[in-house]
Amino acid sequence: MRAILGSYDSELTPAEYSPQLTRRMREAEDMVQKVHAHSSEMEAQLSQALEELGGQKQRADMLEVEVKMLQCQTSASERGFPVSREEVSSLRLKIEELEGERSRLEEEKKTLEAQLERLTLQGGYDQSKTKVLHMSMNPASAAKQRLREDQARLQEECERLRELVRALERGGPVPADLEAAAGLPSSKEVAELKKQVESAELRNQRLKEVFHTKIQEFRKVCYALTGYQIDVTTESQYRLTSMYAEHKADCLIFKATGPSGAKMQLLETAFSRTVPELIELHLLRQDSIPAFLSALTLDLFSRQTVA
């Protein structure tokens, strides 16, 4: 900047100086001052950085010394205690197992002490240290004697029953002593009972045949008198087929409702949908099933007569 100013001075004469040249000179001087200030600031920052670098280097040296000391201590420990990691883990597991075993033994000890205390309260005693005298006739001895007698009697009864079962499995005659012991009827009584059962079955079969015949007769009479064949389809449902029906599939189905099936309800079928007028008049308005069936019979009869 000074060289530039010098060039201005050499080129211009004192008479040629102008206010513009003076302003430029002042700006140049201000710029030089700013450059000096920036240089001073940079020098101060550089000094601070150097100081911090020195501190970091000193701490690094200290850490390096500590690491070396720790390595020396570790080496000394390894030389003093030559134990591997596997051995350390095994020893720790062994210690844990021993602690668990000790806890378990303490629990068992407490349980046994509680049982011993309870037995002592219930009258228990150590036979090696305490002697107890029993009377020859006492309730405990009598109860034991009765128990032995009952056990012997039950064993004898079980043996007799086993012999009876074996005799029955063979199919031969049962010995008289086993029949009396087991309370079984004699062979004569068994034969008489078999005859009575056969006679009862024969009477029952005859009653079934008579009942079936009467049912068929009753169905034929109902068909002849009312003009409808009544069949039981399922529980509480009855199918009515008129003798004047044009097709075999033309039928009415009624379902018994109410207590004891006292009320009947007409279910919808393909044939019932063909007589809506009769249903509307006799069932919905008059609430009379006999009138509906009679009207349907007359309608079907008139169709056949006209045909």
Side-chain angles (χ1 to χ4, degrees):
M1 297 300 292
R2 292 182 184 277
I4 293 172
L5 291 174
S7 66
Y8 278 112
D9 293 338
S10 62
E11 291 177 0
L12 296 176
T13 61
E16 293 176 349
Y17 282 111
S18 62
Q20 184 178 3
L21 182 59
T22 303
R23 181 175 57 80
R24 289 183 177 179
M25 289 178 63
R26 290 177 181 175
E27 289 179 355
E29 290 177 356
D30 293 339
M31 187 176 294
V32 170
Q33 291 178 0
K34 290 180 179 179
V35 169
H36 281 296
H38 183 67
S39 177
S40 300
E41 185 179 356
M42 294 299 294
E43 288 178 357
Q45 293 179 0
L46 179 61
S47 300
Q48 184 178 359
L50 290 174
E51 291 178 0
E52 292 179 356
L53 180 62
Q56 294 290 341
K57 184 177 181 182
Q58 186 178 1
R59 286 196 294 271
D61 294 338
M62 292 175 63
L63 290 174
E64 186 176 358
V65 172
E66 291 180 359
V67 168
K68 289 181 179 180
M69 291 176 63
L70 291 173
Q71 288 179 352
C72 294
Q73 292 177 3
T74 304
S75 300
S77 300
E78 290 179 353
R79 288 193 300 270
F81 302 96
V83 181
S84 63
R85 293 183 178 179
E86 291 78 3
E87 293 178 352
V88 172
S89 301
S90 177
L91 291 173
R92 287 179 180 175
L93 291 175
K94 188 65 175 178
I95 291 171
E96 292 177 359
E97 292 178 359
L98 293 174
E99 289 290 335
E101 184 69 17
R102 183 179 63 80
S103 300
R104 187 180 62 81
L105 291 174
E106 287 181 354
E107 293 294 332
E108 290 183 357
K109 178 185 176 184
K110 293 179 181 178
T111 304
L112 292 175
E113 288 177 351
Q115 292 180 357
L116 179 60
E117 184 177 359
R118 186 171 60 254
L119 291 174
T120 304
L121 294 175
Q122 292 178 355
Y125 62 94
D126 188 357
Q127 295 182 0
S128 61
K129 298 180 180 179
T130 307
K131 292 183 179 181
V132 179
L133 300 177
H134 297 278
M135 298 179 64
S136 59
M137 298 297 295
N138 58 76
S141 300
K144 290 181 180 179
Q145 183 64 25
R146 287 194 301 269
L147 181 61
R148 286 193 294 268
E149 293 175 357
D150 293 341
Q151 186 177 2
R153 180 176 54 80
L154 291 175
Q155 288 180 352
E156 293 177 359
E157 186 174 355
C158 289
E159 187 62 28
R160 287 197 300 269
L161 291 175
R162 290 193 186 96
E163 293 179 1
L164 178 60
V165 169
R166 286 194 292 268
L168 293 174
E169 288 177 350
R170 290 193 300 268
V174 180
D177 55 346
L178 293 180
E179 288 184 357
L184 297 176
S186 61
S187 302
K188 184 178 180 180
E189 293 177 352
V190 172
E192 185 65 25
L193 291 174
K194 287 183 179 179
K195 290 181 180 179
Q196 292 179 6
V197 171
E198 292 175 357
S199 177
E201 291 178 352
L202 182 60
R203 286 197 301 271
N204 190 21
Q205 183 65 26
R206 289 177 181 175
L207 287 175
K208 288 182 180 180
E209 293 175 356
V210 172
F211 187 68
H212 181 71
T213 303
K214 291 296 181 181
I215 288 177
Q216 295 298 327
E217 182 180 351
F218 180 75
R219 287 165 56 86
K220 291 178 180 179
V221 170
C222 291
Y223 183 70
L225 294 178
T226 63
Y228 288 95
Q229 179 180 348
I230 303 176
D231 298 312
V232 181
T233 57
T234 59
E235 184 178 359
S236 303
Q237 287 190 8
Y238 305 92
R239 181 177 64 238
L240 276 70
T241 306
S242 176
M243 65 171 58
Y244 302 114
E246 297 176 354
H247 305 90
K248 293 183 178 180
D250 294 344
C251 63
L252 300 173
I253 297 179
F254 286 89
K255 181 178 180 181
T257 60
S260 303
K263 190 175 181 180
M264 305 298 292
Q265 181 181 3
L266 177 64
L267 302 181
E268 184 179 3
T269 61
F271 178 65
S272 66
R273 289 194 292 269
T274 61
V275 289
E277 298 84 1
L278 299 178
I279 295 175
E280 176 70 23
L281 176 61
H282 299 290
L283 293 182
L284 299 180
R285 295 182 182 179
Q286 299 176 353
D287 192 18
S288 176
I289 294 177
F292 168 71
L293 295 177
S294 300
L296 181 61
T297 301
L298 292 175
D299 183 61
L300 295 175
F301 179 74
S302 62
R303 292 179 189 179
Q304 289 188 1
T305 304
V306 171

